[in-house]
Amino acid sequence: LVQSDLSRSHLLNEIMGEIKNIDDRDQASSLVNLAPHLPPDLLQSALQAAGEISEHKYRAKALSALAPHLPPDLLTSALQAAGEISDLGYRAEALVALAPHLPPDLLPAALQAAGEISDRYFRAEALAALAPHLPPDLLTSALQDALQAAGKISHPYIRAEALAALAPHLPPDLLPAALQDALQAAGEISEPYPRAEALAALAPHLP
């Protein structure tokens, strides 16, 4: 058993030593596969490797895979790496993955990173992911920001989808207006199937 553990540890160290020599896609795929099996002493190396992936899509993919396994002392670096992704959709993807694992002291920084996403849909998506984990003093402003962003999305299907994603987190004083806006957006969708899909997403939240 000891020999088996030593062999696995040696193998993982070798893989982490070589991982920076492969392209972004394969590096991200390797980190996704390795993430559940890495011991604490290799997670920092894995996070560093993920943060150095230049292609945003694959950096977000690697960070998302590592997020559930990172100890609190590495989550600051993970959040920083996510915030440095310039592609807004992939930045939101990484923030969504990190949100459930962030300790309370990092939530303000995560909220700031989400609020700096200029694309309205992706900002609302990131804020909706953070909402269940925010304390009351941060939650109200985050939800108002998310609602404002979602309500200004020009495409009716995407607007309805964003508002439906926020609905489970809204307090009673904000929910009725959000549902009304979402129903209006759904009514503006011309194609029957997307309209039905948008309405189905809203149904669980209607009185």
Short mmCIF file of all heavy atoms in Angstrom, two decimals, residues 47 67-80 95 97-112 129-130 132-135 137-138:
data_model
loop_
_atom_site.label_atom_id
_atom_site.label_comp_id
_atom_site.label_asym_id
_atom_site.label_seq_id
_atom_site.Cartn_x
_atom_site.Cartn_y
_atom_site.Cartn_z
N LEU A 47 -3.02 25.13 -9.84
CA LEU A 47 -3.66 26.43 -9.96
C LEU A 47 -2.78 27.41 -10.74
O LEU A 47 -3.26 28.17 -11.57
CB LEU A 47 -3.98 26.99 -8.58
CG LEU A 47 -4.63 28.36 -8.54
CD1 LEU A 47 -5.95 28.37 -9.30
CD2 LEU A 47 -4.86 28.79 -7.09
N ALA A 67 -11.81 24.38 -8.81
CA ALA A 67 -12.49 25.14 -7.75
C ALA A 67 -12.97 24.30 -6.57
O ALA A 67 -12.74 24.67 -5.41
CB ALA A 67 -13.67 25.92 -8.36
N PRO A 68 -13.65 23.15 -6.79
CA PRO A 68 -14.16 22.40 -5.62
C PRO A 68 -13.08 21.79 -4.75
O PRO A 68 -13.37 21.34 -3.64
CB PRO A 68 -15.02 21.30 -6.27
CG PRO A 68 -15.22 21.71 -7.68
CD PRO A 68 -14.03 22.53 -8.05
N HIS A 69 -11.86 21.74 -5.24
CA HIS A 69 -10.80 21.02 -4.54
C HIS A 69 -9.78 21.94 -3.87
O HIS A 69 -8.89 21.46 -3.17
CB HIS A 69 -10.08 20.09 -5.53
CG HIS A 69 -11.00 19.23 -6.31
ND1 HIS A 69 -11.67 18.14 -5.77
CD2 HIS A 69 -11.44 19.33 -7.60
CE1 HIS A 69 -12.45 17.59 -6.69
NE2 HIS A 69 -12.32 18.29 -7.81
N LEU A 70 -9.92 23.25 -4.08
CA LEU A 70 -8.92 24.18 -3.57
C LEU A 70 -9.15 24.49 -2.10
O LEU A 70 -10.27 24.75 -1.68
CB LEU A 70 -8.94 25.48 -4.38
CG LEU A 70 -8.54 25.37 -5.85
CD1 LEU A 70 -8.75 26.71 -6.55
CD2 LEU A 70 -7.10 24.91 -5.99
N PRO A 71 -8.08 24.52 -1.32
CA PRO A 71 -8.21 24.94 0.08
C PRO A 71 -8.40 26.46 0.14
O PRO A 71 -8.09 27.18 -0.82
CB PRO A 71 -6.87 24.52 0.69
CG PRO A 71 -5.91 24.53 -0.45
CD PRO A 71 -6.70 24.13 -1.66
N PRO A 72 -8.88 26.97 1.27
CA PRO A 72 -9.15 28.41 1.37
C PRO A 72 -7.98 29.31 1.02
O PRO A 72 -8.16 30.38 0.42
CB PRO A 72 -9.57 28.58 2.83
CG PRO A 72 -10.11 27.24 3.22
CD PRO A 72 -9.29 26.24 2.47
N ASP A 73 -6.76 28.88 1.34
CA ASP A 73 -5.61 29.75 1.10
C ASP A 73 -5.27 29.90 -0.38
O ASP A 73 -4.51 30.80 -0.75
CB ASP A 73 -4.38 29.24 1.88
CG ASP A 73 -3.97 27.84 1.46
OD1 ASP A 73 -4.83 26.94 1.47
OD2 ASP A 73 -2.79 27.64 1.13
N LEU A 74 -5.83 29.06 -1.24
CA LEU A 74 -5.57 29.18 -2.68
C LEU A 74 -6.74 29.85 -3.43
O LEU A 74 -6.59 30.19 -4.60
CB LEU A 74 -5.31 27.80 -3.29
CG LEU A 74 -4.02 27.10 -2.87
CD1 LEU A 74 -3.88 25.76 -3.59
CD2 LEU A 74 -2.80 27.98 -3.17
N LEU A 75 -7.85 30.03 -2.76
CA LEU A 75 -9.02 30.58 -3.45
C LEU A 75 -8.83 32.05 -3.83
O LEU A 75 -9.39 32.52 -4.82
CB LEU A 75 -10.27 30.41 -2.59
CG LEU A 75 -10.80 28.97 -2.57
CD1 LEU A 75 -11.84 28.80 -1.47
CD2 LEU A 75 -11.40 28.59 -3.92
N THR A 76 -8.02 32.78 -3.08
CA THR A 76 -7.72 34.17 -3.46
C THR A 76 -7.03 34.21 -4.82
O THR A 76 -7.39 35.01 -5.69
CB THR A 76 -6.81 34.84 -2.40
OG1 THR A 76 -7.47 34.83 -1.14
CG2 THR A 76 -6.50 36.28 -2.79
N SER A 77 -6.04 33.34 -5.00
CA SER A 77 -5.34 33.28 -6.29
C SER A 77 -6.27 32.81 -7.40
O SER A 77 -6.18 33.29 -8.54
CB SER A 77 -4.13 32.34 -6.18
OG SER A 77 -3.22 32.80 -5.23
N ALA A 78 -7.15 31.87 -7.10
CA ALA A 78 -8.10 31.39 -8.10
C ALA A 78 -9.04 32.51 -8.54
O ALA A 78 -9.34 32.68 -9.72
CB ALA A 78 -8.89 30.21 -7.55
N LEU A 79 -9.52 33.28 -7.58
CA LEU A 79 -10.41 34.40 -7.88
C LEU A 79 -9.69 35.45 -8.71
O LEU A 79 -10.27 36.01 -9.66
CB LEU A 79 -10.93 35.00 -6.58
CG LEU A 79 -11.95 36.13 -6.70
CD1 LEU A 79 -13.18 35.67 -7.48
CD2 LEU A 79 -12.36 36.62 -5.32
N GLN A 80 -8.44 35.71 -8.40
CA GLN A 80 -7.65 36.66 -9.18
C GLN A 80 -7.47 36.16 -10.61
O GLN A 80 -7.60 36.93 -11.56
CB GLN A 80 -6.29 36.88 -8.52
CG GLN A 80 -5.42 37.90 -9.24
CD GLN A 80 -4.09 38.12 -8.53
OE1 GLN A 80 -3.88 37.67 -7.42
NE2 GLN A 80 -3.17 38.81 -9.20
N LEU A 95 -16.23 32.47 -12.48
CA LEU A 95 -16.80 33.02 -11.24
C LEU A 95 -17.97 32.17 -10.76
O LEU A 95 -18.13 31.94 -9.55
CB LEU A 95 -17.26 34.46 -11.46
CG LEU A 95 -16.14 35.51 -11.59
CD1 LEU A 95 -16.73 36.85 -12.00
CD2 LEU A 95 -15.37 35.64 -10.28
N ALA A 97 -18.32 29.00 -11.20
CA ALA A 97 -17.76 27.77 -10.63
C ALA A 97 -17.14 28.01 -9.26
O ALA A 97 -17.23 27.16 -8.36
CB ALA A 97 -16.71 27.20 -11.58
N LEU A 98 -16.53 29.17 -9.07
CA LEU A 98 -15.88 29.47 -7.79
C LEU A 98 -16.89 29.84 -6.69
O LEU A 98 -16.63 29.61 -5.51
CB LEU A 98 -14.89 30.62 -7.97
CG LEU A 98 -13.56 30.28 -8.64
CD1 LEU A 98 -12.83 31.57 -9.02
CD2 LEU A 98 -12.69 29.43 -7.70
N ALA A 99 -18.01 30.43 -7.08
CA ALA A 99 -18.94 31.03 -6.12
C ALA A 99 -19.28 30.15 -4.92
O ALA A 99 -19.22 30.60 -3.78
CB ALA A 99 -20.22 31.48 -6.84
N PRO A 100 -19.64 28.86 -5.11
CA PRO A 100 -20.06 28.06 -3.95
C PRO A 100 -18.93 27.74 -2.98
O PRO A 100 -19.19 27.26 -1.88
CB PRO A 100 -20.59 26.76 -4.58
CG PRO A 100 -20.73 27.03 -6.03
CD PRO A 100 -19.76 28.11 -6.37
N HIS A 101 -17.70 27.98 -3.39
CA HIS A 101 -16.55 27.55 -2.59
C HIS A 101 -15.82 28.70 -1.91
O HIS A 101 -14.87 28.47 -1.16
CB HIS A 101 -15.58 26.78 -3.48
CG HIS A 101 -16.23 25.71 -4.29
ND1 HIS A 101 -16.73 24.55 -3.73
CD2 HIS A 101 -16.53 25.64 -5.62
CE1 HIS A 101 -17.30 23.81 -4.69
NE2 HIS A 101 -17.19 24.45 -5.83
N LEU A 102 -16.25 29.92 -2.15
CA LEU A 102 -15.54 31.08 -1.61
C LEU A 102 -15.89 31.30 -0.14
O LEU A 102 -17.06 31.27 0.25
CB LEU A 102 -15.90 32.33 -2.42
CG LEU A 102 -15.44 32.33 -3.88
CD1 LEU A 102 -15.97 33.57 -4.59
CD2 LEU A 102 -13.92 32.26 -3.99
N PRO A 103 -14.89 31.58 0.67
CA PRO A 103 -15.16 31.93 2.08
C PRO A 103 -15.73 33.34 2.16
O PRO A 103 -15.59 34.13 1.21
CB PRO A 103 -13.77 31.85 2.73
CG PRO A 103 -12.81 32.11 1.62
CD PRO A 103 -13.45 31.55 0.37
N PRO A 104 -16.37 33.68 3.27
CA PRO A 104 -17.03 35.00 3.37
C PRO A 104 -16.12 36.19 3.09
O PRO A 104 -16.56 37.18 2.51
CB PRO A 104 -17.52 35.02 4.82
CG PRO A 104 -17.70 33.58 5.17
CD PRO A 104 -16.62 32.84 4.44
N ASP A 105 -14.84 36.09 3.46
CA ASP A 105 -13.96 37.25 3.28
C ASP A 105 -13.62 37.52 1.82
O ASP A 105 -13.15 38.61 1.48
CB ASP A 105 -12.67 37.08 4.09
CG ASP A 105 -11.87 35.86 3.67
OD1 ASP A 105 -12.44 34.75 3.64
OD2 ASP A 105 -10.68 36.00 3.35
N LEU A 106 -13.88 36.56 0.93
CA LEU A 106 -13.60 36.76 -0.50
C LEU A 106 -14.84 37.16 -1.29
O LEU A 106 -14.75 37.52 -2.46
CB LEU A 106 -13.01 35.49 -1.11
CG LEU A 106 -11.56 35.18 -0.76
CD1 LEU A 106 -11.10 33.92 -1.50
CD2 LEU A 106 -10.63 36.35 -1.12
N LEU A 107 -16.00 37.10 -0.66
CA LEU A 107 -17.24 37.41 -1.39
C LEU A 107 -17.29 38.86 -1.89
O LEU A 107 -17.75 39.08 -3.02
CB LEU A 107 -18.45 37.08 -0.52
CG LEU A 107 -18.70 35.58 -0.33
CD1 LEU A 107 -19.80 35.35 0.70
CD2 LEU A 107 -19.05 34.90 -1.65
N PRO A 108 -16.84 39.85 -1.13
CA PRO A 108 -16.84 41.21 -1.69
C PRO A 108 -16.00 41.34 -2.95
O PRO A 108 -16.39 42.02 -3.91
CB PRO A 108 -16.28 42.06 -0.55
CG PRO A 108 -16.61 41.30 0.69
CD PRO A 108 -16.47 39.86 0.30
N ALA A 109 -14.83 40.68 -2.98
CA ALA A 109 -13.98 40.73 -4.17
C ALA A 109 -14.65 40.02 -5.35
O ALA A 109 -14.57 40.48 -6.50
CB ALA A 109 -12.62 40.10 -3.87
N ALA A 110 -15.31 38.91 -5.07
CA ALA A 110 -16.02 38.19 -6.13
C ALA A 110 -17.17 39.02 -6.67
O ALA A 110 -17.42 39.07 -7.88
CB ALA A 110 -16.54 36.86 -5.60
N LEU A 111 -17.85 39.70 -5.77
CA LEU A 111 -18.96 40.56 -6.17
C LEU A 111 -18.46 41.72 -7.03
O LEU A 111 -19.10 42.09 -8.03
CB LEU A 111 -19.65 41.10 -4.91
CG LEU A 111 -20.97 41.82 -5.09
CD1 LEU A 111 -21.99 40.95 -5.80
CD2 LEU A 111 -21.51 42.26 -3.74
N GLN A 112 -17.33 42.26 -6.66
CA GLN A 112 -16.74 43.34 -7.47
C GLN A 112 -16.36 42.83 -8.86
O GLN A 112 -16.62 43.50 -9.87
CB GLN A 112 -15.52 43.92 -6.77
CG GLN A 112 -14.87 45.07 -7.53
CD GLN A 112 -13.67 45.66 -6.81
OE1 GLN A 112 -13.47 45.40 -5.63
NE2 GLN A 112 -12.88 46.44 -7.52
N ALA A 129 -25.20 33.52 -9.50
CA ALA A 129 -24.45 32.42 -8.88
C ALA A 129 -23.94 32.79 -7.50
O ALA A 129 -23.86 31.96 -6.59
CB ALA A 129 -23.28 32.02 -9.78
N LEU A 130 -23.58 34.06 -7.32
CA LEU A 130 -23.07 34.51 -6.03
C LEU A 130 -24.19 34.71 -5.01
O LEU A 130 -23.97 34.57 -3.80
CB LEU A 130 -22.31 35.82 -6.20
CG LEU A 130 -20.91 35.73 -6.81
CD1 LEU A 130 -20.42 37.11 -7.21
CD2 LEU A 130 -19.94 35.08 -5.82
N PRO A 132 -26.80 33.17 -3.62
CA PRO A 132 -27.12 32.30 -2.47
C PRO A 132 -26.07 32.32 -1.37
O PRO A 132 -26.34 31.85 -0.27
CB PRO A 132 -27.19 30.90 -3.11
CG PRO A 132 -27.30 31.12 -4.57
CD PRO A 132 -26.63 32.42 -4.86
N HIS A 133 -24.89 32.86 -1.67
CA HIS A 133 -23.79 32.80 -0.71
C HIS A 133 -23.50 34.16 -0.07
O HIS A 133 -22.63 34.25 0.80
CB HIS A 133 -22.54 32.28 -1.42
CG HIS A 133 -22.79 31.07 -2.25
ND1 HIS A 133 -23.02 29.82 -1.70
CD2 HIS A 133 -22.91 30.91 -3.60
CE1 HIS A 133 -23.26 28.95 -2.67
NE2 HIS A 133 -23.19 29.58 -3.82
N LEU A 134 -24.23 35.19 -0.48
CA LEU A 134 -23.95 36.53 0.01
C LEU A 134 -24.67 36.82 1.31
O LEU A 134 -25.83 36.43 1.50
CB LEU A 134 -24.37 37.57 -1.04
CG LEU A 134 -23.60 37.56 -2.36
CD1 LEU A 134 -24.23 38.56 -3.34
CD2 LEU A 134 -22.13 37.89 -2.15
N PRO A 135 -24.01 37.54 2.22
CA PRO A 135 -24.70 38.00 3.44
C PRO A 135 -25.69 39.09 3.09
O PRO A 135 -25.59 39.72 2.02
CB PRO A 135 -23.55 38.52 4.31
CG PRO A 135 -22.49 38.93 3.33
CD PRO A 135 -22.60 37.97 2.17
N ASP A 137 -26.04 42.14 3.85
CA ASP A 137 -25.55 43.48 3.55
C ASP A 137 -24.99 43.61 2.14
O ASP A 137 -24.86 44.71 1.62
CB ASP A 137 -24.48 43.91 4.58
CG ASP A 137 -23.28 42.96 4.60
OD1 ASP A 137 -23.50 41.73 4.57
OD2 ASP A 137 -22.15 43.45 4.64
N LEU A 138 -24.67 42.49 1.51
CA LEU A 138 -24.19 42.51 0.12
C LEU A 138 -25.27 42.06 -0.86
O LEU A 138 -25.22 42.42 -2.04
CB LEU A 138 -22.97 41.60 -0.04
CG LEU A 138 -21.69 41.98 0.71
CD1 LEU A 138 -20.62 40.93 0.48
CD2 LEU A 138 -21.19 43.35 0.27
#
